[in-house]
């Protein structure tokens, strides 16, 4: 038995962009987790380790967490067809993954008619952009990504894993 062909949901019957109507969906608990990585040149990573992730602009991790959290709450203002959602919880973690890579993880929870994948991806990505902004004086060779969804729960189907 084959699965039905997947189709884009943000197009109306005439093929024009449209916000998905979620009014018939049940309200349920929803959660998503995403990550984005920031790869530094070795010399920059050594400087950041030595400074305990502080720059002339301030605490890099603290600033990234604040920026990522603000981005989660404003995702619908940035992504045209995202629904504004009440955010029940948001956690952003930033830690080294090896010597040269910072791993940023964002988990978001809501109770609503649509999921929070875009909020989790936006939070992780904006936190990574903030790290870049705070460190660009050291190098413009900093690389962001990949950004990816790690898991989601709630709605039609669960994907990946949540911790």
């Amino acid at each position: 038995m084959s699965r039905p062909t997947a189709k884009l949901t943000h197009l109306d019957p005439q093929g024009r962009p449209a916000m998905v109507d979620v009014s018939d969906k049940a309200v349920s608990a929803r959660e998503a987790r995403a990550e984005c990585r920031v790869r530094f040149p070795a010399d920059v990573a050594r400087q950041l380790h030595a400074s305990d992730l502080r720059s002339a602009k301030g605490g890099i991790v603290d600033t990234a967490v604040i920026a990522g959290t603000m981005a989660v709450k404003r995702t619908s203002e940035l992504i045209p067809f995202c629904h504004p959602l009440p955010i029940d919880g948001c956690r952003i973690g930033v830690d080294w993954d090896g010597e040269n890579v910072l791993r940023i993880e964002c988990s978001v929870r809501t109770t609503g008619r649509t999921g929070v994948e875009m909020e989790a991806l936006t939070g992780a990505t904006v936190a990574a952009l903030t790290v870049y902004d705070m460190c660009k004086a050291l190098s413009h060779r900093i690389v962001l990504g990949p950004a990816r969804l790690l898991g989601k729960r709630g709605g039609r189907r669960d994907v990946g894993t949540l911790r």
Side-chain angles (χ1 to χ4, degrees):
M1 186 179 265
S2 65
R3 285 180 62 181
T5 304
K7 63 179 186 168
L8 296 173
T9 57
H10 289 80
L11 297 175
D12 70 12
Q14 292 75 41
R16 292 185 303 253
M19 182 180 259
V20 173
D21 183 348
V22 297
S23 60
D24 289 337
K25 290 185 174 186
V27 172
S28 64
R30 316 256 184 164
E31 183 176 0
R33 188 169 64 96
E35 74 172 5
C36 189
R37 294 174 182 265
V38 182
R39 180 175 306 279
F40 298 98
D43 58 321
V44 173
R46 278 192 297 279
Q47 279 184 270
L48 293 172
H49 280 285
S51 71
D52 201 26
L53 287 168
R54 297 199 63 75
S55 77
K57 294 182 179 181
I60 296 167
V61 172
D62 294 340
T63 306
V65 167
I66 292 166
T69 302
M70 290 173 65
V72 164
K73 296 190 297 183
R74 300 189 75 170
T75 298
S76 67
E77 295 175 32
L78 300 169
I79 312 291
F81 297 127
C82 285
H83 293 82
L85 297 174
I87 302 302
D88 296 336
C90 173
R91 291 271 183 243
I92 297 178
V94 181
D95 206 353
W96 288 104
D97 185 19
E99 289 298 311
N100 300 344
V101 177
L102 269 183
R103 181 176 176 273
I104 299 169
E105 184 176 304
C106 179
S107 297
V108 182
R109 299 178 72 144
T110 192
T111 303
R113 297 183 195 284
T114 188
V116 286
E117 299 97 316
M118 294 307 299
E119 286 74 9
L121 284 161
T122 300
T125 305
V126 169
L129 287 165
T130 302
V131 169
Y132 180 95
D133 180 52
M134 295 191 73
C135 298
K136 68 186 179 203
L138 302 176
S139 174
H140 286 94
R141 295 174 294 134
I142 300 166
V143 176
L144 304 183
R148 65 186 184 119
L149 180 70
L150 298 171
K152 77 166 201 82
R153 183 174 49 221
R156 241 183 293 160
R157 65 181 175 271
D158 295 346
V159 174
T161 60
L162 300 172
R163 279 193 237 137

